[in-house]
Amino acid sequence: MTIVYLDYVVPGSILLPIAVLLSKYRSVPAHVKLLFYYLVISALVNLTGIIMARNNLPNIWLIHVQTTVESFLLLWLFSFIIKKPVILKMIRVLMIGFPVFCIINLLFIQGTGNFPSYTRPVEALIFIALCMIYWAQESDEEIPWANNPANWFVTGLFLYFSGAFFIFLFSSYLAGYVSLKVMD
């Protein structure tokens, strides 16, 4: 039952928001289309990772690729919804600088066989900060909070990245030490 849940139910749950966004694709704003692309890429990476794992092929390099693409798309999304010029300049620098950092980490630092434990926590901190900046910006708006779809997207991103931050930060420890203790 655990295999079915972890291999099919959890990754398959992404299909619901993809289907909803696909049905409304023509009428949604550009930043929502970026969210759609992010979800599709995440689904494809998960599917590819599952297939590779089932065939005993190394798939950790996919997380490096996903981190690079995910960060670019989400930074691009925030460039549409953040209005402060100083923050927009920082986002534009990060749109180039962070993916370059991810590629350098993949090719020269951690390689394809290790979880990107240097880039993922940094990515999480970037998006936690951007979510809080967005909320500070939106607190000045007169529109009811629940009526703005971007608020829901940003809340989901905040929950994901804040929940995963310590997992990303301690992933090398968890993969090495804790997994050996579980195997004993």
Side-chain angles (χ1 to χ4, degrees), residues 32-161:
V32 178
K33 289 179 181 173
L34 289 170
L35 187 64
F36 171 76
Y37 301 142
Y38 163 69
L39 293 173
V40 169
I41 288 169
S42 293
L44 290 173
V45 167
N46 280 332
L47 178 64
T48 305
I50 290 167
I51 291 168
M52 291 177 78
R54 291 278 179 188
N55 291 299
N56 296 318
L57 297 170
N59 61 8
I60 199 76
W61 63 270
L62 287 169
I63 299 172
H64 287 275
V65 173
Q66 181 181 15
T67 303
T68 306
V69 175
E70 161 183 274
S71 63
F72 179 80
L73 287 174
L74 292 178
L75 285 165
W76 196 3
L77 180 145
F78 275 98
S79 75
F80 279 99
I81 61 175
I82 300 258
K83 298 172 185 159
K84 298 180 185 209
V86 173
I87 304 299
L88 286 173
K89 287 179 185 174
M90 289 176 29
I91 289 172
R92 288 188 189 108
V93 168
L94 285 170
M95 284 176 71
I96 296 167
F98 189 77
V100 168
F101 171 52
C102 291
I103 292 167
I104 290 170
N105 182 57
L106 171 66
L107 297 177
F108 303 111
I109 301 171
Q110 288 190 295
T112 59
N114 295 312
F115 184 84
S117 60
Y118 299 157
T119 55
R120 294 291 279 186
V122 173
E123 178 191 34
L125 289 175
I126 289 168
F127 288 111
I128 290 168
L130 286 174
C131 290
M132 290 191 289
I133 289 167
Y134 172 80
W135 284 332
Q137 165 189 292
E138 290 303 301
S139 67
D140 297 335
E141 296 292 324
E142 299 294 325
I143 302 168
W145 190 92
N147 292 351
N148 184 353
N151 291 341
W152 294 99
F153 302 148
V154 170
T155 300
L157 291 172
F158 180 79
L159 289 172
Y160 169 70
F161 283 110

